[in-house]
Amino acid sequence: MPKNIALITGATSGIGQAISTQFAAAGIDLILTGRRAERLKDTQEKLIANYGIEVQTLCFDIRQQQACEQAINGLPAEWKAIRYLINNAGLASGLGKLHEGQLSDWEQMIDTNVKGLLYISRLVIPLLIEKQQGHIVNISSIAGKEVYANGNVYCASKFAVDALNRGMRIELAESNIRVTSINPGAVNTEFSLVRFHGDAQRAEKVYEGFDPLMAQDIADAVYYAISRPAHVNINEMIIMPTAQPVASIIHRK
Ligand code: NDP
Ligand code: 8X3
């Protein structure tokens, strides 16, 4: 019987995977989502074996509203007592001028980062309200605080996450639900590989010549936020590599 449950979207890689391991180590039972079934299964097996927690996996595309509904509504009753919702699934697709942009990139970012986050939140928040407790952590970005050259639509999608984060906090305080946004700068994950449509050489260059953040740095911050006493809400955190003082400047050796 699961007790202390977290639902983490985008748990197949990077930040979501690191949060999953950090939470598992703290004895939190997990609902993990993503599109890559094999990775979900591997992660589930490892976390159960290493930490003795319970893990459910939900394999679906967060852009598909019906798939979100089926996944969340189809959870066994005891798994609906979700305490932590970590809205992490997201991506950048492309990096270039708006007037030269690919519509398919824009749609993928808006559908995943904004609409997907909304679909999941709409389904899970009523479950938190029912229990009059819970904590939502929205993984936004420094791109949701500062606009940088060629970031246009990705930045817009993360500014939307920032607005949704603030809106949720205002609306949910009366239900004793905490809401936190985490806004990282460059984190070395599959993010750039995805942004550059699988161009591994270009992706590697993003993290060359300086020490980027690691996914674990962000997992630490998320765990810090959720492990504060119940009367303490961390509204937001901006976390940057030391060599990246603002979004558009990276000091490389
Ligand atoms: P990764 O590419 O390593 O991980 C992204 C995760 O999102 C994967 O688990 C992926 O799962 C999931 N995901 C993407 N699209 C979908 C979809 N349509 N349906 C379901 N799941 C999806 O990148 P990060 O770990 O770096 O990114 C995690 C979050 O952190 C994102 O919201 C990103 O914007 C944000 N962020 C990242 C930064 C960075 O520099 N890395 C900095 C600031 C914020 P799957 O492919 O299996 O579906
Ligand atoms: C990802 C970090 O600086 O590439 O959100 O926008 S950045």
Side-chain angles (χ1 to χ4, degrees):
M1 181 90 168
K3 286 180 289 291
N4 203 13
I5 301 169
L7 188 155
I8 303 171
T9 66
T12 55
S13 151
I15 294 170
Q17 199 162 55
I19 297 169
S20 306
T21 305
Q22 178 101 15
F23 279 27
I28 298 172
D29 296 313
L30 298 172
I31 303 168
L32 305 179
T33 90
R35 289 165 301 179
R36 286 171 283 183
E38 199 57 39
R39 286 210 192 181
L40 283 174
K41 190 166 157 277
D42 284 354
T43 307
Q44 179 184 39
E45 284 171 4
K46 277 189 196 128
L47 295 181
I48 291 172
N50 294 343
Y51 301 104
I53 56 156
E54 295 189 38
V55 181
Q56 282 269 340
T57 60
L58 298 173
C59 187
F60 65 97
D61 188 327
I62 205 168
R63 292 172 296 176
Q64 308 295 330
Q65 188 250 329
Q66 276 195 339
C68 293
E69 237 173 63
Q70 278 166 9
I72 305 300
N73 293 343
L75 281 168
E78 66 272 21
W79 280 94
K80 286 188 175 157
I82 293 166
R83 184 147 181 204
Y84 307 106
L85 167 61
I86 315 299
N87 280 320
N88 165 75
L91 80 167
S93 194
L95 180 71
K97 290 188 168 58
L98 186 91
H99 61 270
E100 295 167 351
Q102 296 292 327
L103 269 62
S104 56
D105 283 338
W106 300 352
E107 273 155 13
Q108 195 177 1
M109 289 186 278
I110 292 166
D111 289 353
T112 309
N113 300 354
V114 184
K115 291 169 72 180
L117 181 145
L118 280 169
Y119 297 152
I120 295 295
S121 300
R122 178 66 184 87
L123 290 159
V124 173
I125 290 172
L127 303 175
L128 305 181
I129 291 176
E130 215 171 281
K131 301 265 175 215
Q132 291 287 293
Q133 67 167 17
H135 197 149
I136 301 168
V137 180
N138 294 305
I139 307 297
S140 182
S141 170
I142 189 62
K145 297 287 184 183
E146 298 174 23
V147 176
Y148 54 85
N150 300 322
N152 44 68
V153 176
Y154 178 65
C155 295
S157 75
K158 290 298 189 177
F159 268 70
V161 173
D162 196 49
L164 294 171
N165 182 70
R166 294 183 211 197
M168 286 179 192
R169 189 181 313 117
I170 294 164
E171 292 167 13
L172 296 175
E174 66 184 18
S175 300
N176 191 36
I177 294 167
R178 300 189 283 177
V179 181
T180 300
S181 82
I182 307 281
N183 303 273
V187 191
N188 193 350
T189 63
E190 293 175 17
F191 177 85
S192 292
L193 189 65
V194 171
R195 167 170 255 173
F196 300 130
H197 306 120
D199 182 340
Q201 270 188 335
R202 196 172 168 200
E204 272 169 29
K205 282 201 179 358
V206 173
Y207 307 109
E208 268 173 19
F210 77 110
D211 289 330
L213 296 169
M214 304 306 286
Q216 183 58 46
D217 299 318
I218 307 309
D220 282 344
V222 174
Y223 187 70
Y224 175 81
I226 67 139
S227 57
R228 293 312 83 211
H231 68 286
V232 178
N233 188 75
I234 305 293
N235 284 4
E236 55 182 37
M237 287 194 221
I238 297 178
I239 307 168
M240 303 294 284
T242 305
Q244 187 186 21
V246 293
S248 54
I249 297 175
I250 294 181
H251 293 285
R252 297 178 198 269
K253 286 170 204 126

